[in-house]
Amino acid sequence: MLNIHNLSVSFGGTYLFEEVTFRLGAGDRVGLVGKNGAGKSTMLKMLAGDFKPDSGVISQEKDIKMGFLRQDIDFEQGRTVLEEAYEAFTEIKIVEKKLEEINHQLVTRTDYESEEYAKIIEDLSDYTHRFDLLGGYNYVGDTEKILLGLGFKREVFNNQTETFSGGWRMRIELAKLLLQSNDVLLLDEPTNHLDIESIIWLENFLRNYPGVVVIVSHDKMFLDNVTNRTIEISLGKAYDFNKPYTQYLELRHEIREKQLATQKNQQKKIEETEKLIEKFRAKASKASMAQSLIKKLDKVERIEVDEDDNSVMNISFPVSKEPGKVVIEAEHVTKAYGDKTILKDISLLVERGSKIAFVGQNGQGKSTFIKALVNEFEYQGNIKLGHNVQLGYFAQNQAEYLDGEITLLQTMEDAATDTNRMKVRDMLGSFLFRGDDVEKKVKVLSGGERNRLALCKLLLQPINVLLMDEPTNHLDIKSKNVLKAALQKFGGTLLLVSHDRDFLQGMSNIVYEFKDQKIKEYLGDINFFLEQRNLENMREVEKKDVVKKEAPKEKEVAKVSYEDQKKGKALQNKLSKIESQIQQLEKQIQHDDKMLETNYDKHIEDASFFTAYNKKKQDLEQLLIDWEVVSEEIDSFNA
């Protein structure tokens, strides 16, 4: 579908990448990985046609449809969630509007015998047929299905988009892309604003996607579950392997080790040859042999080892001053948005030096409680900060608070004090913003680079209590590890919201689970918490219906007879079979739709094609009805 040949891009005389070549074909689900600032988002923009390379060619098949999920999106105000999602169906909406106009004319006109009226009837037939072919009778249901999958409730479908946060708007944009039946999907950090249920739903959707998917993500589990190929951009080169991320890392490490061993052996032989040359040069009788060895040495193709970009942030969080023994005391804190109560009667005491992790599903109040601590909104109850407490707060959307129109240097200088203003260049350098980088405008930075800048800016203020809400969003793997090490060394008090088990390990000595408007304390680290909850990983924590893996009691097992077990299994098998048939029919119909789009005139005359096409649609409708019936039977059986 896409051919990328000798692509080169440079900024300020330095190559972001140089002469990169690869091909993308149907069924490729590519994880595009690399450090923050390596050029991943730039590559996506070039594939989408938003940005032109300095040299090289991107060629694509004719009439290819491409969807691009950008990190920064703009919505037109005044639309509801459904109306914005319906923007995915440009042609359907045009035809639908035309049909409305035709139907209005049919109602209002009375010249039934005129040629104009006959023409309207003919147009009605043509547009109705076209509407059917485009999926006009299904797009409303498809839209609701996708929005529900991405975590929206039906009751918010008619809410204005401007009432939603940036994360939820990103979900609407993702829904539009998934509804468009694009041949190529370019997704820049698609999981950053999704809860675990939506991530799992998206994983299943993308695994069955027939076209090309290119994903920029730092979520290792998501990449492993979705991708079948990894392209890493590092130091201007692209490393391409037909493996998901973790397998790719292992394979690349093995290849590099072999390269090092081979290079070492080659170097040893070269050194031996050079010694012989020096030895023979001293003797006239051996001069010709020395020349022969020199020519042979010149022809040797030197083995190169793939370079690794090991540059990392240099970050530490110094403690400003020692606070009192109790740093935070919360009593009976309650917070509601309208009729929805998020937190109810929460009481919590945080002592100096505590390392606390907040975990739980999205929407259970973790971030809300953190915001209450920094007095971001009004709430019921009381929160009191201890003596000499100096809070440092890193919000989940911290990068959004940065002014995109000013430079990195100006961002830091504006936030600096008289005592640290002279240090801002050195601080930016320790966060890998060096030389002319500091004169860049914030708006040109990638998501990970903005998070790095926000962390750097945080260090300008005195801190002895750190509140960190999902600080790893957008950060590459190495940056996450550096941040983790810095937080582990922090001598103050830490309150950390995260869903990343790898990041949480070794970070806390107390875990609070937020669930059903309450909190529950676990006196241990994240592994202790998971053991206590009989859970394997953080994904299970965040699922809406957590089922503890307790051994069934004997008397409970006895209640389920063999016949009931057999019936339950039969129903599940029946449901699986129907789901498989639905999936096959949807793919066949999608294929037929593409055939009609590319060669409509040919197929319009083929009666057998349309008979088969309509039969598939009827079968699909019946299967969907069957699916609902069997699902209800299973629900009733399990009740």
Side-chain angles (χ1 to χ4, degrees), residues 67-217:
F68 181 18
L69 180 70
R70 297 166 175 82
Q71 287 187 10
D72 299 315
I73 55 173
D74 289 317
F75 277 173
E76 183 178 313
Q77 292 195 356
R79 289 183 185 146
T80 66
V81 173
L82 277 178
E83 287 168 345
E84 185 63 44
Y86 291 158
E87 290 297 304
F89 305 100
T90 308
E91 190 175 355
I92 288 178
K93 297 299 288 182
I94 291 171
V95 175
E96 188 175 52
K97 188 175 181 181
K98 190 66 180 175
L99 283 170
E100 288 174 3
E101 291 173 0
I102 291 172
N103 283 315
H104 177 70
Q105 289 187 60
L106 290 175
V107 170
T108 56
R109 293 181 69 134
T110 56
D111 53 336
Y112 307 122
E113 304 299 326
S114 68
E115 291 183 10
E116 289 84 357
Y117 197 88
K119 180 67 169 62
I120 293 171
I121 296 294
E122 186 180 331
D123 288 345
L124 176 64
S125 177
D126 291 342
Y127 279 108
T128 300
H129 187 59
R130 183 64 181 158
F131 189 70
D132 185 29
L133 290 179
L134 291 170
Y137 297 110
N138 300 321
Y139 84 91
V140 172
D142 290 344
T143 301
E144 293 185 1
K145 180 181 174 184
I146 296 288
L147 288 173
L148 290 169
L150 289 173
F152 288 91
K153 305 287 188 210
R154 288 188 186 275
E155 52 264 32
V156 304
F157 281 0
N158 291 313
N159 291 3
Q160 300 286 309
T161 57
E162 55 262 34
T163 64
F164 289 87
S165 67
W168 283 97
R169 292 189 194 185
M170 188 69 77
R171 294 192 197 203
I172 299 171
E173 190 68 13
L174 179 57
K176 285 159 64 176
L177 292 182
L178 302 184
L179 287 163
Q180 285 170 349
S181 300
N182 291 294
D183 302 299
V184 179
L185 269 183
L186 308 174
L187 306 177
D188 198 354
E189 298 283 8
T191 64
N192 270 358
H193 301 287
L194 300 183
D195 58 24
I196 200 64
E197 295 285 337
S198 299
I199 290 174
I200 292 170
W201 180 89
L202 182 60
E203 285 176 354
N204 292 329
F205 185 96
L206 294 177
R207 272 199 295 265
N208 297 312
Y209 200 77
V212 173
V213 183
V214 183
I215 304 166
V216 170
S217 178

Side-chain angles (χ1 to χ4, degrees), residues 228-471:
N228 54 20
R229 181 177 170 190
T230 301
I231 297 176
E232 180 183 12
I233 298 176
S234 177
L235 298 172
K237 294 183 178 179
Y239 301 92
D240 187 357
F241 291 89
N242 289 320
K243 299 284 183 184
Y245 182 71
T246 299
Q247 293 179 37
Y248 155 74
L249 285 180
E250 295 169 357
L251 184 58
R252 181 157 183 226
H253 177 71
E254 289 175 11
I255 290 172
R256 196 168 186 277
E257 289 297 309
K258 288 178 182 177
Q259 286 177 338
L260 284 167
T262 308
Q263 186 189 57
K264 189 176 180 181
N265 289 334
Q266 186 189 59
Q267 190 59 36
K268 187 177 178 182
K269 290 178 182 177
I270 288 171
E271 288 172 0
E272 290 172 354
T273 304
E274 286 174 341
K275 286 178 182 178
L276 283 174
I277 290 170
E278 290 302 315
K279 183 179 178 181
F280 291 158
R281 268 178 175 164
K283 298 178 182 179
S285 60
K286 302 285 187 178
S288 61
M289 187 174 292
Q291 287 299 315
S292 176
L293 287 172
I294 289 170
K295 289 179 182 178
K296 183 179 178 182
L297 199 59
D298 287 340
K299 291 179 181 177
V300 172
E301 189 173 334
R302 304 294 172 113
I303 294 169
E304 293 185 3
V305 177
D306 294 341
E307 289 185 79
D308 267 345
D309 187 353
N310 292 313
S311 57
V312 293
M313 296 185 295
N314 180 16
I315 178 174
S316 64
F317 295 95
V319 177
S320 56
K321 62 172 76 171
E322 184 166 301
K325 185 178 179 182
V326 175
V327 294
I328 297 171
E329 188 173 359
E331 296 177 325
H332 310 295
V333 174
T334 298
K335 176 61 182 174
Y337 293 97
D339 296 331
K340 186 176 182 182
T341 301
I342 305 297
L343 300 171
K344 188 173 183 180
D345 200 29
I346 301 296
S347 294
L348 175 66
L349 187 138
V350 179
E351 294 187 346
R352 180 182 62 229
S354 298
K355 300 291 189 288
I356 297 172
F358 289 165
V359 301
Q361 301 165 16
N362 276 20
Q364 291 293 328
K366 304 185 299 293
S367 297
T368 301
F369 187 72
I370 291 284
K371 289 175 182 177
L373 295 180
V374 295
N375 208 26
E376 194 166 300
F377 46 62
E378 292 184 359
Y379 54 85
Q380 293 176 292
N382 183 48
I383 293 176
K384 186 166 60 177
L385 299 183
H387 178 64
N388 279 342
V389 167
Q390 294 178 317
L391 294 178
Y393 172 45
F394 189 91
Q396 188 174 147
N397 58 339
Q398 187 70 44
E400 294 178 17
Y401 293 107
L402 300 173
D403 185 347
E405 295 302 323
I406 64 176
T407 66
L408 280 68
L409 184 59
Q410 190 177 343
T411 298
M412 290 291 287
E413 287 178 340
D414 289 350
T417 63
D418 291 338
T419 57
N420 57 27
R421 186 167 284 108
M422 297 298 293
K423 299 178 183 178
V424 295
R425 282 185 178 271
D426 291 337
M427 292 175 69
L428 284 167
S430 68
F431 279 77
L432 305 181
F433 299 117
R434 296 168 182 147
D436 293 337
D437 287 344
V438 301
E439 300 299 338
K440 289 180 180 176
K441 286 192 174 182
V442 172
K443 65 182 180 183
V444 305
L445 299 181
S446 69
E449 288 174 315
R450 290 188 195 187
N451 257 27
R452 288 213 313 263
L453 178 60
L455 282 169
C456 188
K457 183 182 173 185
L458 179 65
L459 295 179
L460 290 169
Q461 64 187 84
I463 298 167
N464 53 27
V465 177
L466 263 176
L467 312 176
M468 307 291 279
D469 190 358
E470 299 288 5

Side-chain angles (χ1 to χ4, degrees), residues 375-593:
N375 208 26
E376 194 166 300
F377 46 62
E378 292 184 359
Y379 54 85
Q380 293 176 292
N382 183 48
I383 293 176
K384 186 166 60 177
L385 299 183
H387 178 64
N388 279 342
V389 167
Q390 294 178 317
L391 294 178
Y393 172 45
F394 189 91
Q396 188 174 147
N397 58 339
Q398 187 70 44
E400 294 178 17
Y401 293 107
L402 300 173
D403 185 347
E405 295 302 323
I406 64 176
T407 66
L408 280 68
L409 184 59
Q410 190 177 343
T411 298
M412 290 291 287
E413 287 178 340
D414 289 350
T417 63
D418 291 338
T419 57
N420 57 27
R421 186 167 284 108
M422 297 298 293
K423 299 178 183 178
V424 295
R425 282 185 178 271
D426 291 337
M427 292 175 69
L428 284 167
S430 68
F431 279 77
L432 305 181
F433 299 117
R434 296 168 182 147
D436 293 337
D437 287 344
V438 301
E439 300 299 338
K440 289 180 180 176
K441 286 192 174 182
V442 172
K443 65 182 180 183
V444 305
L445 299 181
S446 69
E449 288 174 315
R450 290 188 195 187
N451 257 27
R452 288 213 313 263
L453 178 60
L455 282 169
C456 188
K457 183 182 173 185
L458 179 65
L459 295 179
L460 290 169
Q461 64 187 84
I463 298 167
N464 53 27
V465 177
L466 263 176
L467 312 176
M468 307 291 279
D469 190 358
E470 299 288 5
T472 60
N473 277 357
H474 296 291
L475 288 183
D476 60 58
I477 309 300
K478 288 181 180 177
S479 296
K480 284 184 186 181
N481 293 337
V482 172
L483 176 60
K484 179 175 179 177
L487 290 175
Q488 285 174 321
K489 291 177 183 176
F490 177 55
T493 306
L494 174 67
L495 277 67
L496 174 64
V497 176
S498 181
H499 64 268
D500 187 332
R501 180 179 181 176
D502 289 338
F503 188 73
L504 284 172
Q505 282 184 327
M507 293 288 279
S508 65
N509 48 32
I510 302 172
V511 175
Y512 284 100
E513 181 182 17
F514 283 67
K515 188 177 182 183
D516 299 330
Q517 306 169 356
K518 301 289 185 182
I519 60 171
K520 185 174 181 181
E521 183 182 59
Y522 294 83
L523 297 174
D525 62 6
I526 194 65
N527 292 329
F528 173 78
F529 161 72
L530 292 172
E531 287 170 10
Q532 291 295 302
R533 295 277 276 103
N534 278 333
L535 302 172
E536 290 183 358
N537 53 53
M538 292 301 292
R539 287 193 161 201
E540 292 191 46
V541 176
E542 296 174 26
K543 284 184 180 179
K544 290 184 174 61
D545 296 306
V546 176
V547 180
K548 289 188 179 182
K549 294 184 283 185
E550 296 175 349
K553 298 174 183 176
E554 288 185 14
K555 62 179 182 179
E556 289 176 343
V557 174
K559 288 180 183 177
V560 183
S561 68
Y562 173 74
E563 288 301 322
D564 284 342
Q565 292 180 37
K566 189 175 177 182
K567 183 181 178 182
K569 190 173 181 181
L571 283 170
Q572 287 291 349
N573 290 340
K574 187 176 181 180
L575 189 69
S576 298
K577 184 178 179 181
I578 292 172
E579 286 174 346
S580 176
Q581 290 172 328
I582 288 172
Q583 189 177 1
Q584 290 175 8
L585 269 178
E586 284 178 337
K587 285 182 179 179
Q588 290 173 18
I589 291 169
Q590 188 178 37
H591 177 262
D592 289 351
D593 287 339

